[in-house]
Amino acid sequence: MSEVNKTDLSPMMQQYMDIKEQYKEELLFFRLGDFYELFFEDGIIASRELELTLTGKNAGLKERIPMCGVPFHSVNPYIEKLVDKGYKVAICEQLEDPKNTKGMVKRGVVEVISKGTVVNLELLNEHDNNYIASVIDFEYLYMLTVADISTGELKSLSIPHHKDKLLNEILHLNIKEVILENNEDIELITMLKDNYGVEISISDNYLTEGYEELLNSTDEPRVKQGIRHLLYYLVVRELKDLRHISHVEIIDKNDFLEMDVHTVRNLELVLTLRLHERTFSLLWLLDKTKTAMGSRKLKTWLLNPLRNKEEIEERYKKLEVLNNEFILKDELRDLLFEIYDLERLCAKVMCGNLNARDLLQIKNSLSVLPRVKDIIKDLGFSYNVNSHSDLFNLLESSIYENPPLSIKEGYLIKDGYNKELDEFKSIRSGGKDFLIDFENKIKESTGIKNLKVGFNRVFGYYIEVSKGQAKEVSESLGWERRQTLANCERFISPELKEKESMILNAEEKIFELEYNLFCEIRDKIKDQILELKETADVISEIDAIISLAVCADEYNLVKPKLNLDSKLEIIQGRHPVIEAVSKSAYVPNDVIMDNTTDILLITGPNMSGKSTYMRELAIIIIMAQMGSYVPAQSANLPIIDKIFTRIGASDDLVSGESTFMVEMKEARNALVNATKNSLILFDELGRGTSTFDGMSIAQAILEYVAKSIKCKTLFSTHYHELTRLEKDFLNVKNVHVAAKEEGNMITFLHKVKNGPADKSYGVHVARLAKMPEELLKRADVILSEYETEAKKQKVVDNGILQMAMDFGNEKEEDALREKLKSIDPLRLTPIEALNILFELKEIE
């Protein structure tokens, strides 16, 4: 396309080239009548990605240029598909009515759509935010400015200058598109775009004027710089109207319980590990909201639990009130069900393709607010619910109850709203009455009983007569033949043409006036958009808190007690999701860690419930700090500042890292960043390497946590040798998951008890997994051989020790005796026994 000589092109294609020059990175949807057309490389790409037929167009050149197109009235699915594939789409519209224009119709891009800037409700997941973010590298920190233009949110947070922390925050927020100042950080760009599907855009420009109120909502220069960087891309580059964003929320990470992406994934807070679906996640269980806004708010609470004890307990109080006033709670839920997604409707008013049905959704939502306001007052809550009565009355008096999707074809505005419009409607109505009378009259006067009066856009109104009766139309009638079809003839008459002019002019005036009135109504809503957005935020919070109240009642949850002295006591705790979906009775467990206990070392066979026990604790803490009641008989919990997890095998296949490398990275993240108030969950750490390596690393990590961090830690392991650490560290306690052995079968009791497990039951677990019987019998034989060999080795070791004692002198005998007293043979590993033998040989 760059090689095309523009002077050879037709005027329309020259216009296209001028516009395309300004939007080189985007696929340009160029409006031509009832279609959006794409030309040159854009046409080739769109035809391939959308599976459209690639055709050609005469454009003044020797060869036809590549072209494909889609109908304007069904363009949304095509845009969605392209944006989802990572393309940006520029929508170029006709800015003038072709009927009123001589020569070339003026065209221009009215909107650019990319992954992070979709506002069409049909293209968005109602449960999730659609975030776009700017990243500015200040070399000593990253400034992350995050917006969801579909809901009007704007957040700013500073991140320490570690790429892993920046990446974690981008993934944690599920940001769809990131704006960087330059393309120098190849590693970050590759990681985001190729590994995680985040769209990357480059822009080094900053907004220089406008949006002063928004910018003045903060005094922090770096925050303002981040906002200006993001606003330039959104306002100037993508032509968005962001007047519904009035302030920036500066996020302090210290206000919230911190969880990295591994923790969110391992605990299955929003998606399941196996299928990556919302169903059977904790969010799925807790989401009893009635509005899309409330669903998004609840997800935000779940991913950002609070650390302020007073704020958490304030939510507990609301749950208590709601469940005591259950009749009002149920009525409130029914009212919330009538409220549409006001947050995104506000955004659509400002920068989307708003239609009359959207206005009806706003009206219907506003209709229930007066009663919502009364109930909130009766409950004693401090929420300020604006009923927006003026706005409701405006929409009630103006918009038809069943309007068309198009806003330029009339039938939008009610009778009585505008006097001039009513006059035109009267003319149109009278004209149509005339047509009915006219048809009856000429049937009577001509005797042609099957004639009819019709209309099309080419000929206007006409009289249609069948072929068989066309000969009965005499010249004396003054009709003029206008069209001959296979089975009929069409005529016009002077009287009909006269009335046609009056009717069509009235129709055209009605369409034009109704569109102008619709725009006036939309502008009146824009004037109140900030107040409407505040109401939407209040409704979302009410909906989220009611959802937690419903869960508390439905799942038999209890109000936890919060403490500031590191005491953790959960009696009869349960994993809420497993309990809800399990067909068998759930076995509850206690988790008791007083001020002197920091680490629970958990042993027991595979499949017995160790991982569930660990997840259960974390989920109870997260639920408690998000303001929810918890699944337990009682719970006394400390305020946790961070949760780190390493649960289950999760090879990073994307980056090619092994299980063990991922294990070590996640463990390092916990050990470096955890504080005394954190929670660490390590499941089978060290199993990704050889036994002695793994055991050494696991013990070193346990000792480090016990001596240096001293935070609440659950550490499950198959290395039974580690259980001796309970004697070395007062803050380590052994627990195990009980199992019942009957012959060669095992039954998991799923009950956590004090003390270490006595064996692993590996072959038993294999039998439960229905391994081939021949294989299981061979495993039993091999296991018996290993156990016999171990006993023989023990006898040999004891014999060597006896010989050393028999032939030694008295001094050596005393030294040997003292050394032997310090040995516990039941806890020795083979390598430790060999080391002791070498030490004994050195004693003289």
Side-chain angles (χ1 to χ4, degrees), residues 439 442-443 448-454 462-465:
E439 182 177 299
I442 59 175
K443 280 181 180 179
I448 305 173
K449 299 301 182 185
N450 66 350
L451 70 76
K452 61 181 180 180
V453 175
Y462 56 80
I463 304 165
E464 184 175 290
V465 181

Side-chain angles (χ1 to χ4, degrees), residues 39 165 356 681:
F39 303 106
K165 291 185 180 293
L681 307 177

Side-chain angles (χ1 to χ4, degrees), residues 48 79 117 159 235 242 259 343 351 368 383 404 419 482 515 540 544 572 574 702 724 807 815:
R48 181 183 69 241
I79 293 175
T117 59
I159 299 171
V235 175
L242 303 182
M259 300 178 287
E343 279 183 335
C351 53
V368 302
Y383 296 118
K419 186 177 179 181
R482 188 49 71 88
Y515 175 73
S540 71
Q572 300 288 285
R574 314 183 305 274
L702 264 174
R724 70 179 186 274
F807 293 99

Side-chain angles (χ1 to χ4, degrees), residues 296 332 360 408 413 452 495 519 545 572 630 708 799 801:
R296 292 192 296 270
L332 197 49
L360 275 185
K408 293 189 174 181
I413 307 299
K452 61 181 180 180
E495 186 180 8
C519 292
I545 205 74
Q572 300 288 285
V630 298
S708 302
L801 291 174

Side-chain angles (χ1 to χ4, degrees), residues 363 366 388-399 417:
K363 186 195 82 172
L366 300 183
H388 299 281
S389 55
D390 291 345
L391 197 54
F392 172 77
N393 291 333
L394 169 66
L395 295 173
E396 174 68 12
S397 64
S398 60
I399 304 297
Y417 178 73

Side-chain angles (χ1 to χ4, degrees), residues 323-473:
N323 281 338
N324 287 336
E325 299 287 350
F326 57 88
I327 295 176
L328 290 178
K329 178 187 71 177
D330 291 344
E331 184 183 354
L332 197 49
R333 290 190 80 204
D334 291 340
L335 293 169
L336 291 175
F337 187 68
E338 302 298 322
I339 298 177
Y340 291 84
D341 196 341
L342 280 177
E343 279 183 335
R344 285 183 166 160
L345 285 169
C346 286
K348 208 170 179 186
V349 168
M350 300 305 299
C351 53
N353 297 318
L354 190 76
N355 59 42
R357 295 185 186 182
D358 296 322
L359 294 187
L360 275 185
Q361 289 186 358
I362 294 174
K363 186 195 82 172
N364 293 336
S365 301
L366 300 183
S367 69
V368 302
L369 292 184
R371 180 55 187 155
V372 171
K373 184 174 184 177
D374 290 341
I375 294 177
I376 293 300
K377 185 179 179 181
D378 292 342
L379 291 170
F381 292 167
S382 58
Y383 296 118
N384 179 26
V385 179
N386 185 340
S387 58
H388 299 281
S389 55
D390 291 345
L391 197 54
F392 172 77
N393 291 333
L394 169 66
L395 295 173
E396 174 68 12
S397 64
S398 60
I399 304 297
Y400 271 131
E401 297 301 327
N402 189 27
L405 283 173
S406 172
I407 57 175
K408 293 189 174 181
E409 295 179 6
Y411 303 97
L412 304 174
I413 307 299
K414 285 182 176 179
D415 295 344
Y417 178 73
N418 180 273
K419 186 177 179 181
E420 183 182 4
L421 179 62
D422 289 345
E423 290 176 356
F424 283 121
K425 285 182 178 179
S426 177
I427 294 172
R428 181 179 65 183
S429 175
K432 289 183 177 178
D433 290 340
F434 161 80
L435 292 175
I436 295 172
D437 293 340
F438 178 76
E439 182 177 299
N440 291 330
K441 185 178 73 174
I442 59 175
K443 280 181 180 179
E444 189 69 32
S445 62
T446 62
I448 305 173
K449 299 301 182 185
N450 66 350
L451 70 76
K452 61 181 180 180
V453 175
F455 175 83
N456 67 32
R457 293 183 179 275
V458 178
F459 300 112
Y461 286 101
Y462 56 80
I463 304 165
E464 184 175 290
V465 181
S466 66
K467 282 281 189 184
Q469 292 190 305
K471 58 186 178 184
E472 298 181 28
V473 179

Side-chain angles (χ1 to χ4, degrees), residues 808-825:
N809 60 33
E810 187 175 347
K811 182 178 178 182
E812 290 171 340
E813 187 175 324
D814 290 340
L816 285 169
R817 185 177 289 111
E818 292 302 315
K819 181 67 178 176
L820 287 170
K821 283 181 180 178
S822 68
I823 297 171
D824 183 353

Side-chain angles (χ1 to χ4, degrees), residues 34 38 176 230 341 480 597 631 702 784 799 812:
D34 289 341
L38 296 97
K176 301 295 194 302
L230 184 57
D341 196 341
E480 179 184 339
T597 305
L702 264 174
S784 178
E812 290 171 340

